Amino acid sequence: MLPPKKTRDLARSLVACETDASASSRQTQPATVRVYERLRRQLGAPVGVDGFQALASRALALARSESPQLTAVQVTANGSLRGLGEVDSQTNANEDGEAGIILIAQLLGLFLTFLGEATTLRLIEDLRLQVDV
């Protein structure tokens, strides 16, 4: 399994790729929200909606201990997030979406644990975000 620093680096690179990919388009959502939604669609397939919702809820609980800004964020019944965009838009320039990155890293860590490194990384590569793992 990837160590926590590598998982955090993977989350950062996913967000950076999404930021670069959307630089030319008019996106209203922060990159961390778009990455989360892509991961929800891709990683939710093998575990189902309820499984993804449970893992996302656990990831959010873990991330809240690192970033209290996430207290207003909620995981809905279908696994989507409510409130992450507002958290990202309220962060200052020095934080640069760090709360969202922490949440994505926690989510990736849980999937690495439950699905295994090979399967999780293959699913992430299928997102065509061209992440350098």
Side-chain angles (χ1 to χ4, degrees), residues 18-27:
E18 183 64 33
T19 301
D20 292 344
S22 67
S24 62
S25 64
R26 295 182 184 197
Q27 295 288 336

Side-chain angles (χ1 to χ4, degrees), residues 3-61:
K5 182 183 177 337
K6 293 272 190 191
T7 306
R8 181 90 42 111
D9 291 344
L10 177 58
R12 276 188 218 293
S13 65
L14 286 168
V15 172
C17 287
E18 183 64 33
T19 301
D20 292 344
S22 67
S24 62
S25 64
R26 295 182 184 197
Q27 295 288 336
T28 58
Q29 293 180 320
T32 53
V33 174
R34 293 190 310 271
V35 168
Y36 178 87
E37 284 302 313
R38 286 178 185 244
L39 290 172
R40 182 172 71 88
R41 287 189 300 271
Q42 190 70 17
L43 298 177
V47 296
V49 173
D50 291 339
F52 185 87
Q53 193 271 346
L55 290 172
S57 294
R58 179 64 182 147
L60 180 58

